Amino acid sequence: MKEKKVNVAIYGSGIAGLTAAVTLLEHGVRDVCVFEKRPFQGGAISNTPMCFLAVKNDERYQDRAFKIHAEYTQFSGNMAAARAWINNSYRIPAFVESLGLEKPECVETPYEDIGRTDGYTGGFPFGMNLGDTYILKGRGVGHGAALICLRAVQKIRKLGGEVIFNTSLIELIKEEQKVTGAIVKEKNVGTYQVIANDVIVATGGIGNAAPEMLKEETGYIYTDREMSDGGNFFCNSFFNDQMTGDGLKAVWKIGGKKSPILGCGRHLAYPGIVNHVAWLVKNQLSTIMEQPYLVVNQKGKRFIDEGENRRSANMAAAMRQQPGRIAYLIFDDDTMDHLEAEGTEYFYMIFPSVKIENGREQFRKVIEEDHNKHIYVAPTLENLAEQTGIDKETLLETVQWYNELCDKGHDDDFAKDPAYMRPVRKANFYCMKFVNVNYSQIGGITVDEKCHVLDREMNPIGHLYAAGDSAASVIYGPHTPNVTSISSVAYTQGMICADNIAKEQHVK
């Protein structure tokens, strides 16, 4: 079999892999090669997040951020790995600027606000508000991370590194307790062996291209973006994401320990609402999706303080415990008037809408012209139950009780803010079906604070590292992270891999 010898082989060209490669080369490590299965650079989240988190290089801020994170995750992740992420995250802004990009806008989080206000300037749980938010400037319809990936590839090549596209990781080669290389398959070349002193797996999580693996590892039933087949999860990454869990399977095969596979938000079926990616909206329905109105499960029961609907990660985590892992937002004609005349209760920076403009026409167009089968308008609640399949009797009971609570001005069930208690009485009735969504399912590989891959006995596998989506869940344990937080982890874990490889190779 043909062989290719390198010093450090990196599999995956998302934020984690590319950050590792650049940092290695800047440390003076030579013969670094990045392998990417697609014909272009970028991972699941690398083409999307517009911002990242960085904690100040100040022990007071780092200590507070760590304690908030530890409590938020109930100490269920690897706390040493979490500490390493937090303490190194301050390096991200300088790294981004070193690629020749415009300095990101910084929204500072005062010390007192860490863990006490929404994360990432809004829309994320308090427990994710650990530091400053840096907002990247995009180009055209692309967010800033796509430019980061492009510039990183350019810098890798300028510093003498190599990037090879159209090359898939097939399996890792392990001798005794250390990895010595991998088998790869390159398009138009074939299968060959890569011999390496150190290997970094940064191949991402599980995406649209791996429905069977998704179901086996998470219990989710894959659906397409039109939600056309009764599934309850889809990935919001770019088309042709090719996230088939190659790195996870390769690590597991040689004895690597699994980490939790998790990570969800909630979203709507695509037709008529967004274009090929979630932030390119066609109307204001994505903003309506986030409003804190009545939410029920398939059985017709409430299950959460709907004020949490503004925080996608929280709503998604609650949905995971519901029948079919789906939910429905329901409101009436009076509330539609309110949205149009007085405005929204909340909007996220991606979907900014102070007031809804002609909301009824937006619903009509999406249903009648775009044929979205998961957006509903009904003349009666009974008809709405028939359209959605929600249990009719329970829905009627829930709405009656909910309206009584609205009249009372107090939510006896979930203590929702009375300002959001809007009754559901006046036809027509409007409804949106949610399913869980993320840019990929995150996790699968267990690493320590140095990003060494661990075996099933929690011992390091020699010369094998992992970073990014494939390894990020160790920081959270079984708790649901969100994609924006994971980009911060990806940058930092890439740096940590590079730091430790350079140290172990005795490169100053």
Side-chain angles (χ1 to χ4, degrees):
M1 182 182 292
K2 172 186 171 182
E3 290 186 358
K4 178 180 177 64
K5 293 185 178 181
V6 301
N7 183 12
V8 182
I10 301 171
Y11 297 98
S13 69
I15 287 175
L18 295 176
T19 302
V22 171
T23 307
L24 280 164
L25 292 163
E26 289 180 333
H27 279 323
V29 176
R30 292 288 151 253
D31 201 10
V32 175
C33 186
V34 179
F35 297 87
E36 167 59 47
K37 73 185 298 186
R38 296 181 297 182
F40 50 84
Q41 71 282 338
I45 61 173
S46 304
N47 289 310
T48 51
M50 64 177 68
C51 58
F52 58 81
L53 171 82
V55 180
K56 286 181 173 61
N57 188 22
D58 179 315
E59 64 181 19
R60 286 181 65 245
Y61 283 80
Q62 291 171 344
D63 286 352
R64 183 176 177 91
F66 174 71
K67 289 180 179 179
I68 294 295
H69 174 81
E71 291 183 2
Y72 173 61
T73 59
Q74 297 180 312
F75 295 83
S76 59
N78 183 321
M79 291 296 100
R83 183 70 177 195
W85 159 50
I86 289 167
N87 283 16
N88 282 278
S89 64
Y90 77 90
R91 299 164 60 184
I92 303 174
F95 172 80
V96 170
E97 288 187 62
S98 77
L99 300 176
L101 293 168
E102 185 175 334
K103 184 177 182 179
E105 176 187 355
C106 178
V107 181
E108 291 196 44
T109 298
Y111 177 83
E112 296 77 15
D113 287 349
I114 295 174
R116 292 183 177 173
T117 58
D118 280 5
Y120 294 91
T121 73
F124 295 88
F126 288 3
M128 292 175 67
N129 187 20
L130 303 181
D132 299 333
T133 298
Y134 288 81
I135 302 174
L136 303 167
K137 185 175 181 179
R139 179 184 297 168
V141 297
H143 283 328
L147 293 176
I148 288 172
C149 292
L150 174 62
R151 293 292 180 85
V153 167
Q154 294 170 345
K155 186 166 186 177
I156 290 165
R157 288 170 171 160
K158 183 178 180 180
L159 293 174
E162 188 176 7
V163 180
I164 300 176
F165 295 119
N166 297 305
T167 304
S168 301
L169 173 63
I170 305 302
E171 63 179 285
L172 295 167
I173 301 170
K174 181 183 175 188
E175 297 179 2
E176 296 180 350
Q177 190 55 19
K178 67 180 181 179
V179 167
T180 59
I183 305 297
V184 302
K185 185 176 181 180
E186 184 176 349
K187 184 178 179 181
N188 299 326
V189 174
T191 301
Y192 59 91
Q193 183 171 325
V194 178
I195 305 300
N197 293 315
D198 289 286
V199 172
I200 300 174
V201 174
T203 53
I206 307 172
N208 290 328
E212 293 182 3
M213 187 176 182
L214 180 73
K215 184 175 182 180
E216 181 179 353
E217 299 297 335
T218 70
Y220 279 110
I221 301 171
Y222 168 79
T223 185
D224 55 36
R225 299 177 188 197
E226 296 187 359
M227 289 159 48
S228 63
D229 56 4
N232 56 18
F233 178 88
F234 67 91
C235 288
N236 226 356
S237 57
F238 279 86
F239 289 105
N240 193 32
D241 63 33
Q242 296 189 34
M243 291 184 293
T244 54
D246 298 348
L248 311 187
K249 290 182 283 189
V251 168
W252 297 342
K253 185 175 180 179
I254 63 166
K257 180 179 175 60
K258 286 187 179 182
S259 67
I261 297 177
L262 43 81
C264 284
R266 54 92 183 91
H267 216 294
L268 306 169
Y270 267 36
I273 295 176
V274 300
N275 285 296
H276 61 286
V277 287
W279 64 86
L280 298 178
V281 296
K282 295 181 176 181
N283 49 46
Q284 297 172 301
L285 295 193
S286 293
T287 300
I288 295 176
M289 168 185 70
E290 298 176 327
Q291 299 309 304
Y293 306 138
L294 176 64
V295 174
V296 302
N297 62 20
Q298 190 69 56
K299 299 293 186 181
K301 300 186 69 172
R302 293 179 72 203
F303 57 90
I304 192 172
D305 164 10
E306 293 93 346
E308 293 302 319
N309 196 30
R310 65 184 289 182
R311 302 178 182 95
S312 180
N314 288 355
M315 177 57 76
M319 284 170 58
R320 292 175 70 174
Q321 310 306 314
Q322 306 310 309
R325 294 178 170 177
I326 59 177
Y328 300 86
L329 175 73
I330 301 173
F331 61 97
D332 71 357
D333 230 30
D334 280 341
T335 297
M336 181 67 84
D337 286 340
H338 166 77
L339 288 168
E340 292 179 345
E342 300 172 53
T344 57
E345 319 297 339
Y346 164 83
F347 62 81
Y348 180 47
M349 59 183 172
I350 295 181
F351 312 125
S353 295
V354 176
K355 291 184 178 181
I356 300 303
E357 299 177 3
N358 202 352
R360 295 168 180 83
E361 173 60 19
Q362 292 188 48
F363 267 75
R364 185 206 66 77
K365 183 178 184 303
V366 164
I367 294 168
E368 296 181 11
E369 298 181 22
D370 300 308
H371 308 292
N372 191 316
K373 298 178 181 179
H374 305 280
I375 305 295
Y376 314 90
V377 178
T380 65
L381 289 170
E382 290 86 350
N383 180 261
L384 180 61
E386 292 172 6
Q387 289 190 49
T388 59
I390 300 172
D391 183 87
K392 183 171 67 174
E393 297 305 320
T394 304
L395 176 63
L396 294 175
E397 291 174 4
T398 295
V399 172
Q400 180 178 346
W401 172 238
Y402 181 72
N403 288 343
E404 291 177 15
L405 296 178
C406 291
D407 294 341
K408 179 181 178 181
H410 183 267
D411 182 4
D412 296 356
D413 296 332
F414 300 109
K416 182 162 74 170
D417 185 337
Y420 301 151
M421 296 291 290
R422 302 194 60 82
V424 181
R425 285 196 178 100
K426 182 180 178 182
N428 285 321
F429 300 98
Y430 303 87
C431 180
M432 297 174 157
K433 180 180 178 181
F434 302 156
V435 297
N436 284 151
V437 64
N438 207 355
Y439 292 100
S440 72
Q441 282 294 81
I442 294 159
I445 299 176
T446 301
V447 298
D448 63 14
E449 69 276 12
K450 295 182 178 180
C451 290
H452 290 129
V453 174
L454 303 181
D455 65 16
R456 297 184 185 101
E457 286 72 46
M458 298 292 285
N459 298 312
I461 299 175
H463 302 278
L464 179 62
Y465 299 78
D469 279 9
S470 59
S473 72
V474 299
I475 286 172
Y476 293 87
H479 292 265
T480 304
N482 191 279
V483 66
T484 309
S485 175
I486 299 303
S487 66
S488 174
V489 174
Y491 286 111
T492 306
Q493 285 186 330
M495 295 173 186
I496 292 171
C497 287
D499 293 346
N500 286 290
I501 288 173
K503 182 177 180 180
E504 291 175 15
Q505 290 192 7
H506 306 291
V507 177
K508 294 183 179 180

